[in-house]
């Protein structure tokens, strides 16, 4: 007969990861179909000039579109439909 050895195993206490509130995507008024970026990077000056061309399709009638441009200096916004010539648009930059 063999002796029975009972060895307690120490299991480290695990804490449940902190729970974060459930977040849902914001209402999406438009479908972004393509983004083209034209970047001019000046590394010594730590400066970037950029032009973004964003092709989107409204998912409903739109009077305005909001982009998150926090931290960017926006100097010009142009809007066009289909093959129309791009026209200057009013814009506000809150960032």
């Amino acid at each position: 007969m063999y002796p029975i050895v009972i060895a307690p195993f120490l299991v480290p206490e695990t804490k449940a990861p902190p729970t974060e509130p459930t977040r849902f995507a914001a209402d999406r008024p438009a479908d972004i179909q393509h983004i083209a970026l034209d970047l001019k990077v000046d590394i010594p000056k730590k400066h970037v000039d950029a032009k973004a061309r964003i092709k989107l399709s409204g998912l409903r009638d739109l009077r305005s579109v909001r982009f998150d441009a926090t931290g960017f200096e926006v100097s010009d916004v142009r809007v066009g439909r289909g093959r129309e010539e791009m026209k200057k648009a009013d814009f506000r930059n809150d960032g």
Side-chain angles (χ1 to χ4, degrees):
M1 178 172 238
Y2 296 100
I4 298 175
V5 177
I6 300 175
F9 292 98
L10 297 176
V11 178
E13 183 180 323
T14 58
K15 293 182 180 178
T19 58
E20 293 188 22
T22 303
R23 295 190 176 125
F24 298 96
D27 182 34
R28 197 170 61 118
D31 179 31
I32 295 177
Q33 298 171 339
H34 184 77
I35 299 175
L37 297 175
D38 179 15
L39 303 173
K40 294 177 184 167
V41 180
D42 187 337
I43 294 173
K45 292 183 181 178
K46 298 181 180 180
H47 183 80
V48 176
D49 280 325
K51 184 186 293 186
R53 185 177 183 103
I54 302 171
K55 181 179 179 183
L56 58 86
S57 177
L59 298 175
R60 59 178 176 269
D61 288 339
L62 299 174
R63 294 180 52 106
S64 66
V65 177
R66 177 178 289 180
F67 292 99
D68 181 357
T70 303
F72 291 91
E73 179 182 320
V74 179
S75 60
D76 186 38
V77 174
R78 294 175 183 262
V79 176
R81 290 178 185 245
R83 297 186 183 272
E84 288 180 6
E85 183 178 340
M86 302 293 277
K87 297 176 185 172
K88 281 194 165 220
D90 292 332
F91 70 96
R92 183 179 73 216
N93 187 355
D94 298 335

